[in-house]
Amino acid sequence: MDRLGVVVLWLDRGMCRALDLFTVTVAGILLVLLNYAVFSRFVLNSSVSWGEELPAHILAMLTFIGAAYLTRTNEHLGFDSFARSLNLGMQRIIACINQLLMAAFGATLFWFGGLAATSFMGRSLISVDLPLVLFRGAVPLGGALIVLICLVRFVGLVMGRINPGELLPEGDG
Amino acid sequence: MFLEPGYMILTLLIGLLLMGVPIAFVLGITAAVMIFLDPAVVPMIIGLIPFGGANNYLLVAALLFMIAGEVMNQGKIAEKLIAFASSLVGHIRGGLAHVNILTSLFFSEISGTATSDAAAIGSVMIPQMKKRGYSAAFAAAVTSTSATMAIIVPPSLNLILYAYVANASIAELFAAGILPGFLVCALLLMTAYVIAVYKGFPTEGAFSFARVLDTGKDAALPLTLPILILFGILGGIFTATEAGAVAALWSLVMATVIYRTLSWKSFIDTLRIAGKRSAMLMFIVATSTLLGWYLTNQRIPQDIANAILGISENYWVVLLAINVFFLLAGTIVHGTPAILMLVPIFLPLADQLGIDRVHFGLIITLNLGIGQQTPPVASVVLITCSIAKISIGKIIPPLLLFIGAMLVALILVNIFPAIALWLPSIILG
Amino acid sequence: QAQVLQINSSLPDGSFAHAFLTEFKERVEAELPEMDVQIFMGNTLGSEEDVLQGLGFGTHHASLSASAVVQINPRAAVFDLPYLFENRAKVQEFAASPAFDLLAEGFEGRGIVLSALWDNGFRVITNNVRPIVTPADLEGLKIRTPTSRQRVAMFNTLGANATPLSFGEVYSGLDQGVIDGQENPAQVAESARLYEVQDYMSLSNHVYLPTFMLFGEPWLNAQTEDVRDTVLRIAADTAPWTFNWGDETDARVLEELTSKIAINEIDFEAFQAAALPLYDDPLFTDAIGAEMIAVTRDVLGLE
Ligand code: NA
Ligand code: NA
C-alpha cells in the first residue's frame, strides 16, 4: 500500500477513536448533569440555573459530531432495498453520487454553520459562563468531518478499494 | 401555487431515499436544494436552523430513556420480569405467549423504543417458546407485535418527538398513552388465546399464589422504574428529561450494585449505544427542522390542509384519509422521520378539523406502530425474525392475525377519543 | 414581484403580541398595498436566539422580541432594573427620549434596527404561601423566574429563592409545589390559568418589560426608501395603540381575577429600598453600562 494510504488509515483510526470517546463521554456527562440538577433541586433545595440550557446545548453538540461519527461507521438510518437490487456497476455509480451529495451537504454545514458560529463569538450561555462558540462550533466541525469522510470514501470507491454494498445505510430488508 | 415546490420536494425526497442516501441527509439535501433555488431565501439559514432544532431540552429525555432501556437490556433484567409474568399468566392456554405479551407491557413502561424491547424479550422468550412446541413464526410474531407497546405506553420516544413537533404537553401525551397501551395488550392476549386453543399450545403449570409472591419480589425492583417515571412526570415532580435521568441512574444502580449483572464494559457500551442512537435521531431532527423551516416559510402545510379540506370537510372522511396515509407511510418510513416530517404537514389539518392534539398524537403513534410491523421497513420484525432464525416470509401469516388485533385498537381509539383523553383529563385536570 | 415582510414572535396565536402584530399588519397593508405582511407566531421560524441572529444575516425580516434581546444588546437589560417605571406613560416618555436613541445604538453592528418599543407589561408576583406585602414576605419562597441572570439576582436580593424554569413547566410546578410562586404580567397569570394553582397575587410591578419591534438591516436595505420609512414610521405610530391596549387589558384582567385569586397591593417604598443595592450591582451596571443607566434615570427624572 502506498504511503498516502497508510497515513489516511492511521488518521481514520485516530479520528474514530476520538469520536467514540467523545460520544461516550458526552452521553455520560448528560447523565451526570441531569441527575445533579435533580439532586440539587430536591436534596440541596436550590435549583441549578443551567438545568435546561446547558444540557440542550450539549445535546446539540453531540448531534453534529455524532452525525460525523455515524457517517464514518455507516449507522445512519436509511432505505437500502432498492439500491441493493441494482447491479454492481450501477451500485458503484450511485454510491459515488451519494458520497458526493453527502459531502456537499457537509460542506454547506461547514460553511454556513461556521459563519453562524463565528457570529456568536464573544457571547456565552445565559445561565453559565461557557462560550456559545463551543457549542455552535460543532456544526462546522461535524460538517468538515463529514466532507473528509465522504471524500475519502469517494476516492476509495473510484479506485475500487471500497465495495458499494458496504456503504449502503443501515436499512431493513 | 404550492404544487411546484411541493412536487419538487417530493421528487427529491423519494429519489434520494431510493438511491440509499441516509434519511437525515435526504432531508438536509432536499432542504438545501430548495433554499439555494429560491431567490427569496437567504442560504445562511442552513447555518442557524439545524442547530436550533438540535438544541432542545425535551429531546435530552430521549437519550436518557435510551440509556435506561439499554441498561435493563444489557443488565438482563428481562428475566426477572419474565418470571413474574409467567407466575401470573403462565397457567393460561398458550402460557408462554401470554408471558411474552405481559413482559412486553412491563418492559414498555421502562423503555421507549420497540426495537430494544424486541431484542431484550425476544432473545429469552423465542428460544423458550420454540422448545415448548410453539412455531418459530408464531413466537417471533408475538414478540414483534407486543414490542409495539413500547412506543404507546410511556415512556415513548415517538410521543416525546410528537410533543416536540406538535408543541404538546409531554405529561398529557404520556398519560394518554396508558389506556391505548393496555387496550393493545388486552387485544393481543385475546388473539394469542384464541390461536393457542385452536393449535393446542401448552400451559406452564398451575397458578400458585406463592410463586406470584416469590417472583414478584424479584420483579418488584425493576417495576419501581415505571412507577418512578409515571408518578414523577404525571405528578409534575420531574420534567420528562429529569425522569429519564433518574430512571437511567436507578436502572444503573440496580444492574451494577444490586443485581451485579452489568459490567463496567457493558456500562460503557450502554453509553455508546445510547449516544450513537441519540445522535442518529437528533441529526434527523436537525435536518428535518431545516426542511420544516422551508415548508413553514412557504406556508406549504396550510396549503395542503386547504387542498385536502377542499376535497372533503367531513371529520370522519378526513380522519380516515389521515389514518390510511400514516398506515401506508409507516410501512415505508421509520417512526422518527415519519413524525418529524409528516406531523408538521398534517397538524394544521388536524387543528382545522378540531382533532385534539393529544388524541391525534396517539392516532399517529398507533398507525406508525402498526406500520413498523410490515415490510419493507420493519425493524422490529427483522430483529425477531433473526432471533427466531426464520425468513421474513414465514412470519407473515401469524403476524397478520396480531396486526388485525392492533387495527381493532386503532379503530377504537379513533372512534372513542376518551380512550386516550380520559386519563389525562382526570390526572392532569 | 410581491414584497413580503415576515415577522417572528415567540408567543402563541391569540397572545397580546399576536394582537399587536395583526394591528401592525393591517396598518402597513393599508398604506402599502403591495406589501404582504406574514405573521409567524410561536417561534415557527426558529428559536428566538436564531431569529435575532438571522435578522442581521437577512434570513429573517423582523421580530417582536422580549427578554432574549439582552443577549444581543446588553443595554436592554436596563428594563431589568427594578422600579424604574411608575406607569406606561413613563415608558412612552422613555421611548421619546435620548435614552431610546442610546438603547437603539446598542443594536448597531448587529444588523438590527430597533423601530419601536411596544407594550408587554408590569410584572406581578403570584404564590400560594402568603400575600407579599414587604420583601420579608418573600423570605424562603421558591419563585420561578425566566432564565435571566438579572431576574435571578433581583429575587435573591429581595430574599426569595429564585428558581429559573422554562415557562412550560410553571403550571405543573406550581400545582405540585415544586415552586411556590412565579412572576409575570397579570394577563399571563390569567391566560395560562395560573390562578387555578395560586392563591395570592401581589401587584409588585417590580419590573416593566417592553417588547422590542426589531427589523433586520438586510431586509430594510432591500426596500425602497419610501417603503423603509413608511414601515418604520407605522411601527412607531403603533406603539401608543399597544400601550393603551395594555392599560385596558390590565384593568380588565385584574377585575376578572378578583374572584379567582386574592389580590393585594405591596409596600412600594419597602420594595424600592430593598432593591436599591441592585443599582450598584456589577451584574446590572456592567451589562447595561453606566451611561445608559445615567441617561435613563435622567430622562425619567429619578435621583
Ligand atoms: Na414505553
Ligand atoms: Na413497515
Side-chain angles (χ1 to χ4, degrees), chain C residues 201-256:
Chain C
M201 172 181 280
S202 310
L203 304 179
S204 53
N205 294 358
H206 49 282
V207 152
Y208 177 87
L209 192 71
T211 48
F212 303 80
M213 187 57 194
L214 305 171
F215 286 88
E217 259 171 27
W219 184 84
L220 286 174
N221 292 340
Q223 310 304 314
T224 64
E225 201 182 329
D226 184 43
V227 167
R228 186 162 56 231
D229 292 346
T230 309
V231 169
L232 292 175
R233 173 174 51 73
I234 295 175
D237 288 351
T238 308
W241 184 89
T242 69
F243 287 112
N244 284 338
W245 192 95
D247 267 333
E248 282 165 20
T249 305
D250 267 359
R252 180 182 55 75
V253 165
L254 286 182
E255 197 179 302
E256 273 169 28

Short mmCIF file of all heavy atoms in Angstrom, two decimals, chain C residues 201-256:
data_model
loop_
_atom_site.label_atom_id
_atom_site.label_comp_id
_atom_site.label_asym_id
_atom_site.label_seq_id
_atom_site.Cartn_x
_atom_site.Cartn_y
_atom_site.Cartn_z
N MET C 201 -52.07 37.03 44.52
CA MET C 201 -51.39 37.83 43.50
C MET C 201 -51.05 39.17 44.12
O MET C 201 -51.94 39.89 44.60
CB MET C 201 -52.29 38.02 42.28
CG MET C 201 -51.69 39.00 41.26
SD MET C 201 -52.74 39.26 39.81
CE MET C 201 -52.35 37.80 38.87
N SER C 202 -49.75 39.49 44.15
CA SER C 202 -49.31 40.74 44.76
C SER C 202 -48.84 41.67 43.66
O SER C 202 -47.95 41.34 42.88
CB SER C 202 -48.17 40.46 45.74
OG SER C 202 -48.55 39.40 46.61
N LEU C 203 -49.47 42.86 43.60
CA LEU C 203 -49.20 43.78 42.49
C LEU C 203 -47.86 44.49 42.72
O LEU C 203 -47.81 45.69 43.00
CB LEU C 203 -50.34 44.78 42.35
CG LEU C 203 -51.71 44.11 42.17
CD1 LEU C 203 -52.80 45.16 42.04
CD2 LEU C 203 -51.72 43.20 40.94
N SER C 204 -46.79 43.72 42.60
CA SER C 204 -45.46 44.24 42.91
C SER C 204 -44.97 45.19 41.82
O SER C 204 -44.19 46.09 42.10
CB SER C 204 -44.48 43.08 43.04
OG SER C 204 -44.57 42.26 41.88
N ASN C 205 -45.41 45.00 40.59
CA ASN C 205 -44.93 45.81 39.47
C ASN C 205 -43.42 46.02 39.53
O ASN C 205 -42.93 47.12 39.25
CB ASN C 205 -45.65 47.16 39.44
CG ASN C 205 -47.13 47.00 39.13
OD1 ASN C 205 -47.59 45.87 38.91
ND2 ASN C 205 -47.86 48.09 39.13
N HIS C 206 -42.69 44.97 39.90
CA HIS C 206 -41.24 45.13 40.17
C HIS C 206 -40.46 45.48 38.92
O HIS C 206 -39.39 46.08 39.01
CB HIS C 206 -40.67 43.89 40.84
CG HIS C 206 -41.05 42.61 40.15
ND1 HIS C 206 -42.30 42.03 40.30
CD2 HIS C 206 -40.37 41.80 39.32
CE1 HIS C 206 -42.35 40.93 39.59
NE2 HIS C 206 -41.21 40.76 38.97
N VAL C 207 -40.97 45.07 37.78
CA VAL C 207 -40.23 45.33 36.54
C VAL C 207 -41.24 45.62 35.44
O VAL C 207 -42.30 44.99 35.38
CB VAL C 207 -39.38 44.09 36.16
CG1 VAL C 207 -39.16 44.02 34.68
CG2 VAL C 207 -38.02 44.12 36.87
N TYR C 208 -40.94 46.58 34.59
CA TYR C 208 -41.71 46.73 33.37
C TYR C 208 -40.82 46.31 32.20
O TYR C 208 -39.75 46.87 31.98
CB TYR C 208 -42.17 48.18 33.13
CG TYR C 208 -42.90 48.27 31.81
CD1 TYR C 208 -44.26 48.02 31.74
CD2 TYR C 208 -42.22 48.52 30.62
CE1 TYR C 208 -44.93 48.03 30.54
CE2 TYR C 208 -42.88 48.52 29.40
CZ TYR C 208 -44.24 48.27 29.37
OH TYR C 208 -44.89 48.25 28.17
N LEU C 209 -41.28 45.30 31.47
CA LEU C 209 -40.53 44.84 30.31
C LEU C 209 -41.34 45.15 29.06
O LEU C 209 -42.49 44.75 28.98
CB LEU C 209 -40.28 43.34 30.42
CG LEU C 209 -39.28 42.74 29.43
CD1 LEU C 209 -37.87 43.18 29.79
CD2 LEU C 209 -39.36 41.22 29.45
N PRO C 210 -40.77 45.89 28.10
CA PRO C 210 -41.50 46.12 26.85
C PRO C 210 -41.22 44.98 25.87
O PRO C 210 -40.44 44.08 26.16
CB PRO C 210 -40.88 47.41 26.32
CG PRO C 210 -39.47 47.36 26.81
CD PRO C 210 -39.45 46.54 28.08
N THR C 211 -41.87 45.02 24.71
CA THR C 211 -41.40 44.19 23.59
C THR C 211 -40.66 45.11 22.63
O THR C 211 -40.93 46.31 22.57
CB THR C 211 -42.57 43.50 22.86
OG1 THR C 211 -43.58 44.47 22.59
CG2 THR C 211 -43.15 42.38 23.69
N PHE C 212 -39.72 44.54 21.91
CA PHE C 212 -38.86 45.31 21.01
C PHE C 212 -39.23 44.96 19.58
O PHE C 212 -39.15 43.80 19.18
CB PHE C 212 -37.39 44.96 21.25
CG PHE C 212 -36.93 45.17 22.66
CD1 PHE C 212 -37.20 44.22 23.65
CD2 PHE C 212 -36.22 46.31 23.02
CE1 PHE C 212 -36.78 44.41 24.96
CE2 PHE C 212 -35.79 46.51 24.33
CZ PHE C 212 -36.07 45.56 25.30
N MET C 213 -39.69 45.96 18.82
CA MET C 213 -40.03 45.70 17.42
C MET C 213 -38.77 45.91 16.59
O MET C 213 -38.34 47.05 16.36
CB MET C 213 -41.15 46.64 16.98
CG MET C 213 -41.69 46.34 15.60
SD MET C 213 -42.31 44.65 15.45
CE MET C 213 -42.46 44.51 13.69
N LEU C 214 -38.16 44.79 16.15
CA LEU C 214 -36.85 44.84 15.51
C LEU C 214 -36.96 44.50 14.02
O LEU C 214 -37.72 43.61 13.63
CB LEU C 214 -35.91 43.83 16.18
CG LEU C 214 -35.75 43.97 17.69
CD1 LEU C 214 -34.98 42.79 18.26
CD2 LEU C 214 -35.04 45.28 18.04
N PHE C 215 -36.18 45.20 13.22
CA PHE C 215 -36.08 44.88 11.78
C PHE C 215 -34.65 44.53 11.45
O PHE C 215 -33.70 45.05 12.05
CB PHE C 215 -36.52 46.09 10.94
CG PHE C 215 -38.00 46.30 10.94
CD1 PHE C 215 -38.59 47.08 11.93
CD2 PHE C 215 -38.81 45.72 9.98
CE1 PHE C 215 -39.97 47.27 11.95
CE2 PHE C 215 -40.18 45.91 10.00
CZ PHE C 215 -40.76 46.68 10.98
N GLY C 216 -34.49 43.63 10.47
CA GLY C 216 -33.15 43.30 10.01
C GLY C 216 -32.68 44.34 9.00
O GLY C 216 -33.45 44.73 8.12
N GLU C 217 -31.44 44.76 9.14
CA GLU C 217 -30.89 45.73 8.19
C GLU C 217 -30.91 45.22 6.75
O GLU C 217 -31.27 45.97 5.84
CB GLU C 217 -29.46 46.12 8.59
CG GLU C 217 -29.41 47.47 9.30
CD GLU C 217 -28.04 47.74 9.89
OE1 GLU C 217 -27.03 47.20 9.36
OE2 GLU C 217 -27.98 48.47 10.89
N PRO C 218 -30.53 43.95 6.50
CA PRO C 218 -30.56 43.48 5.10
C PRO C 218 -31.95 43.62 4.49
O PRO C 218 -32.07 44.00 3.32
CB PRO C 218 -30.14 42.01 5.22
CG PRO C 218 -29.35 41.94 6.47
CD PRO C 218 -29.96 42.95 7.40
N TRP C 219 -32.99 43.33 5.28
CA TRP C 219 -34.34 43.46 4.73
C TRP C 219 -34.67 44.93 4.46
O TRP C 219 -35.17 45.28 3.40
CB TRP C 219 -35.39 42.85 5.67
CG TRP C 219 -36.77 42.89 5.06
CD1 TRP C 219 -37.29 41.97 4.21
CD2 TRP C 219 -37.76 43.91 5.20
NE1 TRP C 219 -38.56 42.35 3.82
CE2 TRP C 219 -38.87 43.54 4.42
CE3 TRP C 219 -37.83 45.11 5.93
CZ2 TRP C 219 -40.03 44.30 4.32
CZ3 TRP C 219 -38.98 45.89 5.84
CH2 TRP C 219 -40.07 45.48 5.04
N LEU C 220 -34.36 45.79 5.43
CA LEU C 220 -34.65 47.22 5.26
C LEU C 220 -33.91 47.77 4.04
O LEU C 220 -34.47 48.52 3.23
CB LEU C 220 -34.24 48.01 6.51
CG LEU C 220 -35.15 47.86 7.73
CD1 LEU C 220 -34.54 48.56 8.93
CD2 LEU C 220 -36.54 48.41 7.45
N ASN C 221 -32.65 47.37 3.90
CA ASN C 221 -31.84 47.88 2.79
C ASN C 221 -32.35 47.42 1.43
O ASN C 221 -32.07 48.06 0.41
CB ASN C 221 -30.37 47.48 2.95
CG ASN C 221 -29.75 48.18 4.15
OD1 ASN C 221 -30.25 49.21 4.62
ND2 ASN C 221 -28.65 47.63 4.66
N ALA C 222 -33.08 46.31 1.42
CA ALA C 222 -33.61 45.82 0.14
C ALA C 222 -34.89 46.55 -0.26
O ALA C 222 -35.40 46.33 -1.36
CB ALA C 222 -33.86 44.31 0.23
N GLN C 223 -35.42 47.41 0.62
CA GLN C 223 -36.66 48.13 0.31
C GLN C 223 -36.31 49.52 -0.26
O GLN C 223 -35.22 50.04 -0.05
CB GLN C 223 -37.51 48.31 1.58
CG GLN C 223 -37.71 47.03 2.38
CD GLN C 223 -38.33 45.91 1.56
OE1 GLN C 223 -39.30 46.12 0.84
NE2 GLN C 223 -37.74 44.71 1.63
N THR C 224 -37.29 50.10 -0.95
CA THR C 224 -37.09 51.49 -1.38
C THR C 224 -37.14 52.38 -0.15
O THR C 224 -37.68 51.99 0.89
CB THR C 224 -38.21 51.93 -2.34
OG1 THR C 224 -39.44 51.92 -1.62
CG2 THR C 224 -38.30 51.01 -3.55
N GLU C 225 -36.58 53.58 -0.28
CA GLU C 225 -36.52 54.48 0.86
C GLU C 225 -37.93 54.76 1.39
O GLU C 225 -38.16 54.82 2.60
CB GLU C 225 -35.83 55.78 0.46
CG GLU C 225 -35.28 56.52 1.65
CD GLU C 225 -34.64 57.83 1.23
OE1 GLU C 225 -34.10 57.90 0.11
OE2 GLU C 225 -34.68 58.77 2.02
N ASP C 226 -38.85 54.90 0.44
CA ASP C 226 -40.23 55.22 0.82
C ASP C 226 -40.83 54.10 1.67
O ASP C 226 -41.41 54.33 2.73
CB ASP C 226 -41.04 55.44 -0.47
CG ASP C 226 -42.46 55.87 -0.14
OD1 ASP C 226 -42.61 56.71 0.77
OD2 ASP C 226 -43.40 55.34 -0.76
N VAL C 227 -40.68 52.87 1.20
CA VAL C 227 -41.22 51.72 1.92
C VAL C 227 -40.57 51.62 3.30
O VAL C 227 -41.24 51.44 4.32
CB VAL C 227 -41.00 50.41 1.12
CG1 VAL C 227 -41.27 49.19 1.99
CG2 VAL C 227 -41.86 50.40 -0.13
N ARG C 228 -39.25 51.74 3.31
CA ARG C 228 -38.49 51.64 4.56
C ARG C 228 -39.04 52.64 5.59
O ARG C 228 -39.36 52.29 6.71
CB ARG C 228 -37.01 51.90 4.26
CG ARG C 228 -36.10 51.68 5.44
CD ARG C 228 -34.66 51.52 4.98
NE ARG C 228 -34.18 52.65 4.19
CZ ARG C 228 -33.60 52.55 3.00
NH1 ARG C 228 -33.40 51.36 2.46
NH2 ARG C 228 -33.20 53.62 2.35
N ASP C 229 -39.14 53.91 5.17
CA ASP C 229 -39.60 54.95 6.09
C ASP C 229 -41.03 54.70 6.55
O ASP C 229 -41.35 54.89 7.73
CB ASP C 229 -39.52 56.33 5.41
CG ASP C 229 -38.07 56.74 5.16
OD1 ASP C 229 -37.19 56.07 5.76
OD2 ASP C 229 -37.82 57.69 4.39
N THR C 230 -41.87 54.26 5.60
CA THR C 230 -43.27 54.01 5.95
C THR C 230 -43.39 52.92 7.00
O THR C 230 -44.08 53.07 8.02
CB THR C 230 -44.07 53.61 4.69
OG1 THR C 230 -43.82 54.57 3.66
CG2 THR C 230 -45.55 53.54 4.98
N VAL C 231 -42.67 51.81 6.79
CA VAL C 231 -42.77 50.68 7.72
C VAL C 231 -42.27 51.09 9.10
O VAL C 231 -42.92 50.82 10.13
CB VAL C 231 -41.98 49.47 7.18
CG1 VAL C 231 -41.84 48.40 8.24
CG2 VAL C 231 -42.66 48.90 5.95
N LEU C 232 -41.13 51.78 9.14
CA LEU C 232 -40.58 52.19 10.44
C LEU C 232 -41.51 53.19 11.13
O LEU C 232 -41.70 53.14 12.35
CB LEU C 232 -39.18 52.80 10.26
CG LEU C 232 -38.10 51.81 9.82
CD1 LEU C 232 -36.77 52.52 9.56
CD2 LEU C 232 -37.91 50.71 10.87
N ARG C 233 -42.09 54.10 10.34
CA ARG C 233 -42.99 55.08 10.93
C ARG C 233 -44.23 54.39 11.51
O ARG C 233 -44.65 54.70 12.64
CB ARG C 233 -43.41 56.11 9.87
CG ARG C 233 -44.49 57.09 10.36
CD ARG C 233 -44.79 58.20 9.36
NE ARG C 233 -45.08 57.73 8.01
CZ ARG C 233 -46.22 57.12 7.66
NH1 ARG C 233 -47.16 56.90 8.56
NH2 ARG C 233 -46.40 56.72 6.41
N ILE C 234 -44.80 53.45 10.75
CA ILE C 234 -46.01 52.77 11.24
C ILE C 234 -45.69 52.00 12.52
O ILE C 234 -46.49 51.98 13.46
CB ILE C 234 -46.60 51.85 10.16
CG1 ILE C 234 -47.09 52.70 8.98
CG2 ILE C 234 -47.74 51.01 10.72
CD1 ILE C 234 -47.58 51.89 7.79
N ALA C 235 -44.50 51.39 12.58
CA ALA C 235 -44.11 50.66 13.79
C ALA C 235 -44.11 51.60 14.99
O ALA C 235 -44.62 51.26 16.07
CB ALA C 235 -42.74 50.02 13.62
N ALA C 236 -43.55 52.81 14.79
CA ALA C 236 -43.51 53.78 15.89
C ALA C 236 -44.91 54.27 16.22
O ALA C 236 -45.27 54.43 17.40
CB ALA C 236 -42.60 54.94 15.52
N ASP C 237 -45.73 54.50 15.18
CA ASP C 237 -47.09 55.00 15.41
C ASP C 237 -47.98 53.99 16.12
O ASP C 237 -48.96 54.36 16.78
CB ASP C 237 -47.75 55.38 14.07
CG ASP C 237 -47.13 56.65 13.49
OD1 ASP C 237 -46.34 57.28 14.22
OD2 ASP C 237 -47.43 56.99 12.33
N THR C 238 -47.66 52.72 15.94
CA THR C 238 -48.50 51.69 16.57
C THR C 238 -48.24 51.60 18.07
O THR C 238 -49.07 51.09 18.82
CB THR C 238 -48.24 50.32 15.89
OG1 THR C 238 -48.39 50.48 14.47
CG2 THR C 238 -49.22 49.25 16.35
N ALA C 239 -47.07 52.10 18.52
CA ALA C 239 -46.68 51.96 19.93
C ALA C 239 -47.75 52.47 20.90
O ALA C 239 -48.17 51.72 21.80
CB ALA C 239 -45.34 52.64 20.17
N PRO C 240 -48.24 53.72 20.76
CA PRO C 240 -49.25 54.21 21.71
C PRO C 240 -50.48 53.31 21.75
O PRO C 240 -51.06 53.08 22.81
CB PRO C 240 -49.60 55.60 21.18
CG PRO C 240 -48.47 56.00 20.34
CD PRO C 240 -47.90 54.75 19.75
N TRP C 241 -50.88 52.79 20.57
CA TRP C 241 -52.02 51.89 20.50
C TRP C 241 -51.77 50.67 21.40
O TRP C 241 -52.66 50.22 22.13
CB TRP C 241 -52.23 51.46 19.04
CG TRP C 241 -53.43 50.60 18.82
CD1 TRP C 241 -54.70 51.01 18.54
CD2 TRP C 241 -53.49 49.17 18.88
NE1 TRP C 241 -55.54 49.94 18.42
CE2 TRP C 241 -54.82 48.79 18.63
CE3 TRP C 241 -52.54 48.17 19.12
CZ2 TRP C 241 -55.23 47.47 18.60
CZ3 TRP C 241 -52.94 46.85 19.11
CH2 TRP C 241 -54.28 46.50 18.84
N THR C 242 -50.55 50.14 21.36
CA THR C 242 -50.26 48.94 22.17
C THR C 242 -50.27 49.28 23.66
O THR C 242 -50.70 48.47 24.47
CB THR C 242 -48.90 48.32 21.81
OG1 THR C 242 -47.84 49.20 22.23
CG2 THR C 242 -48.76 48.05 20.33
N PHE C 243 -49.79 50.49 24.04
CA PHE C 243 -49.78 50.84 25.46
C PHE C 243 -51.21 51.01 25.98
O PHE C 243 -51.52 50.60 27.09
CB PHE C 243 -48.95 52.11 25.69
CG PHE C 243 -47.47 51.85 25.54
CD1 PHE C 243 -46.75 52.40 24.49
CD2 PHE C 243 -46.80 51.05 26.45
CE1 PHE C 243 -45.39 52.14 24.34
CE2 PHE C 243 -45.44 50.79 26.31
CZ PHE C 243 -44.74 51.34 25.25
N ASN C 244 -52.08 51.63 25.15
CA ASN C 244 -53.49 51.73 25.55
C ASN C 244 -54.09 50.35 25.73
O ASN C 244 -54.80 50.08 26.69
CB ASN C 244 -54.30 52.48 24.47
CG ASN C 244 -54.05 53.97 24.54
OD1 ASN C 244 -53.62 54.48 25.58
ND2 ASN C 244 -54.29 54.66 23.43
N TRP C 245 -53.79 49.50 24.77
CA TRP C 245 -54.28 48.12 24.82
C TRP C 245 -53.85 47.48 26.15
O TRP C 245 -54.62 46.81 26.83
CB TRP C 245 -53.71 47.35 23.64
CG TRP C 245 -54.33 46.02 23.37
CD1 TRP C 245 -55.33 45.73 22.49
CD2 TRP C 245 -53.96 44.77 23.96
NE1 TRP C 245 -55.61 44.40 22.51
CE2 TRP C 245 -54.79 43.78 23.40
CE3 TRP C 245 -53.02 44.38 24.92
CZ2 TRP C 245 -54.71 42.44 23.76
CZ3 TRP C 245 -52.94 43.05 25.29
CH2 TRP C 245 -53.79 42.08 24.71
N GLY C 246 -52.58 47.70 26.51
CA GLY C 246 -52.04 47.13 27.75
C GLY C 246 -52.75 47.65 28.98
O GLY C 246 -53.13 46.88 29.87
N ASP C 247 -52.97 48.98 29.04
CA ASP C 247 -53.65 49.56 30.19
C ASP C 247 -55.06 49.01 30.33
O ASP C 247 -55.49 48.62 31.42
CB ASP C 247 -53.72 51.10 30.03
CG ASP C 247 -52.53 51.78 30.70
OD1 ASP C 247 -51.99 51.19 31.67
OD2 ASP C 247 -52.14 52.88 30.25
N GLU C 248 -55.77 48.95 29.19
CA GLU C 248 -57.14 48.45 29.23
C GLU C 248 -57.18 46.98 29.64
O GLU C 248 -58.01 46.55 30.42
CB GLU C 248 -57.80 48.61 27.85
CG GLU C 248 -58.26 50.04 27.59
CD GLU C 248 -58.57 50.29 26.12
OE1 GLU C 248 -58.81 49.31 25.38
OE2 GLU C 248 -58.57 51.47 25.72
N THR C 249 -56.21 46.21 29.08
CA THR C 249 -56.20 44.78 29.39
C THR C 249 -55.89 44.56 30.87
O THR C 249 -56.51 43.71 31.51
CB THR C 249 -55.16 44.06 28.52
OG1 THR C 249 -55.45 44.36 27.16
CG2 THR C 249 -55.19 42.57 28.74
N ASP C 250 -54.93 45.32 31.42
CA ASP C 250 -54.61 45.18 32.84
C ASP C 250 -55.85 45.37 33.69
O ASP C 250 -56.13 44.57 34.59
CB ASP C 250 -53.57 46.24 33.24
CG ASP C 250 -52.15 45.70 33.13
OD1 ASP C 250 -52.01 44.50 32.77
OD2 ASP C 250 -51.21 46.45 33.39
N ALA C 251 -56.61 46.45 33.39
CA ALA C 251 -57.80 46.75 34.18
C ALA C 251 -58.81 45.61 34.08
O ALA C 251 -59.34 45.13 35.08
CB ALA C 251 -58.42 48.06 33.71
N ARG C 252 -59.01 45.14 32.83
CA ARG C 252 -59.99 44.07 32.61
C ARG C 252 -59.55 42.78 33.32
O ARG C 252 -60.34 42.14 34.02
CB ARG C 252 -60.16 43.81 31.11
CG ARG C 252 -61.15 42.71 30.77
CD ARG C 252 -61.25 42.47 29.27
NE ARG C 252 -59.97 42.17 28.63
CZ ARG C 252 -59.33 41.00 28.74
NH1 ARG C 252 -59.84 40.03 29.48
NH2 ARG C 252 -58.18 40.80 28.14
N VAL C 253 -58.26 42.44 33.16
CA VAL C 253 -57.76 41.19 33.72
C VAL C 253 -57.85 41.21 35.25
O VAL C 253 -58.29 40.24 35.87
CB VAL C 253 -56.30 40.95 33.26
CG1 VAL C 253 -55.64 39.88 34.11
CG2 VAL C 253 -56.27 40.55 31.80
N LEU C 254 -57.45 42.33 35.86
CA LEU C 254 -57.49 42.39 37.32
C LEU C 254 -58.93 42.26 37.83
O LEU C 254 -59.18 41.60 38.84
CB LEU C 254 -56.86 43.70 37.81
CG LEU C 254 -55.33 43.73 37.72
CD1 LEU C 254 -54.78 45.03 38.27
CD2 LEU C 254 -54.69 42.54 38.43
N GLU C 255 -59.86 42.86 37.09
CA GLU C 255 -61.25 42.74 37.50
C GLU C 255 -61.72 41.29 37.42
O GLU C 255 -62.38 40.79 38.33
CB GLU C 255 -62.11 43.64 36.60
CG GLU C 255 -63.49 43.92 37.17
CD GLU C 255 -64.27 44.83 36.24
OE1 GLU C 255 -63.78 45.95 35.96
OE2 GLU C 255 -65.34 44.41 35.77
N GLU C 256 -61.33 40.63 36.31
CA GLU C 256 -61.74 39.24 36.15
C GLU C 256 -61.10 38.34 37.19
O GLU C 256 -61.67 37.34 37.61
CB GLU C 256 -61.37 38.75 34.74
CG GLU C 256 -62.45 39.06 33.73
CD GLU C 256 -61.98 38.83 32.31
OE1 GLU C 256 -61.09 37.98 32.10
OE2 GLU C 256 -62.49 39.53 31.41
#
